[in-house]
Amino acid sequence: GLWPNPELRGRWIAELQRTGRIKNYETTLNTKSGQQRTVLVSAERIQLDGEECLIGMVHDVTERLAAEAALRESEAQLREAQRIGRIGSWDLDFARRHMVWSDEVYRIYERAPGSFDGSFRSLLEMAHPDDRPKLQALYKGPVARADNHEIEHRTVTPSGSIKHLRVHWEMFRDARGKPVRAVGTAQDITEQ
């Protein structure tokens, strides 16, 4: 009664007989209480004192799979909320000098996901030429030392249209006060 499905058990046994070992075979097993759990079953045929034996391990992954499913659902809800609100998120690692965008930021900038290399230089190239000095000053000036900041600027899309953006971020620092990370949002406020 351990295997709720005799066909799955038969496939598992056939594979074990064919190869002599199975690693991380995902299946569902019944517990003594009657509850079904998702598990990874690994087994290997071995010889002990001339006798063929089977050594096996069952790893219960039920909670992990449930947590992964909940995380996927939460991420999908966040993507939808960002799309509806036209607010994307970004994360800047100062040590690597690299920025990561959410899918919505790519949509706002009208760029294909993954096409932004994460550099400030590339971000400046997307900005409206008249707003580039303001962004450069912000990056290097005293505002860069603030923990919270907001700026509005324009960007030029690949099609040549101009969008107005509101960008807000929070700065995170190490124990010496040196910026290590900035996390923020970019919102398309063109219609406003």
Side-chain angles (χ1 to χ4, degrees), residues 64-107:
R64 187 194 82 202
L65 293 176
E68 289 172 356
L71 179 59
R72 282 191 302 276
E73 176 65 23
S74 177
E75 288 172 343
Q77 289 174 349
L78 177 60
R79 280 191 301 276
E80 283 303 298
Q82 287 188 3
R83 182 188 61 78
I84 291 166
R86 290 190 257 174
I87 300 175
S89 59
W90 53 268
D91 192 327
L92 172 62
D93 180 336
F94 280 93
R96 293 178 38 228
R97 295 179 173 249
H98 186 262
M99 181 183 284
V100 176
W101 286 356
S102 70
D103 289 346
E104 187 58 25
V105 175
Y106 279 103
R107 274 192 285 280

Side-chain angles (χ1 to χ4, degrees), residues 20-139:
R21 69 171 31 188
I22 291 181
K23 187 173 182 180
N24 295 330
Y25 181 87
E26 186 174 323
T27 190
T28 303
L29 296 179
N30 292 324
T31 64
K32 285 182 181 180
S33 66
Q35 184 183 32
Q36 287 195 341
R37 306 293 289 180
T38 303
V39 298
L40 299 177
V41 181
S42 298
E44 184 171 348
R45 292 165 53 188
I46 60 170
Q47 295 287 326
L48 289 177
D49 295 329
E51 184 179 345
E52 187 171 312
C53 298
L54 182 69
I55 187 167
M57 180 180 76
V58 177
H59 180 75
D60 187 341
V61 293
T62 307
E63 277 82 20
R64 187 194 82 202
L65 293 176
E68 289 172 356
L71 179 59
R72 282 191 302 276
E73 176 65 23
S74 177
E75 288 172 343
Q77 289 174 349
L78 177 60
R79 280 191 301 276
E80 283 303 298
Q82 287 188 3
R83 182 188 61 78
I84 291 166
R86 290 190 257 174
I87 300 175
S89 59
W90 53 268
D91 192 327
L92 172 62
D93 180 336
F94 280 93
R96 293 178 38 228
R97 295 179 173 249
H98 186 262
M99 181 183 284
V100 176
W101 286 356
S102 70
D103 289 346
E104 187 58 25
V105 175
Y106 279 103
R107 274 192 285 280
I108 290 169
Y109 279 85
E110 296 182 13
R111 303 282 199 265
S115 63
F116 174 55
D117 69 6
S119 71
F120 183 67
R121 176 190 47 78
S122 293
L123 186 63
L124 268 182
E125 289 172 2
M126 292 182 235
H128 189 281
D130 294 343
D131 291 350
R132 288 177 187 165
K134 172 171 66 171
L135 291 170
Q136 286 175 312
L138 182 66
Y139 185 73

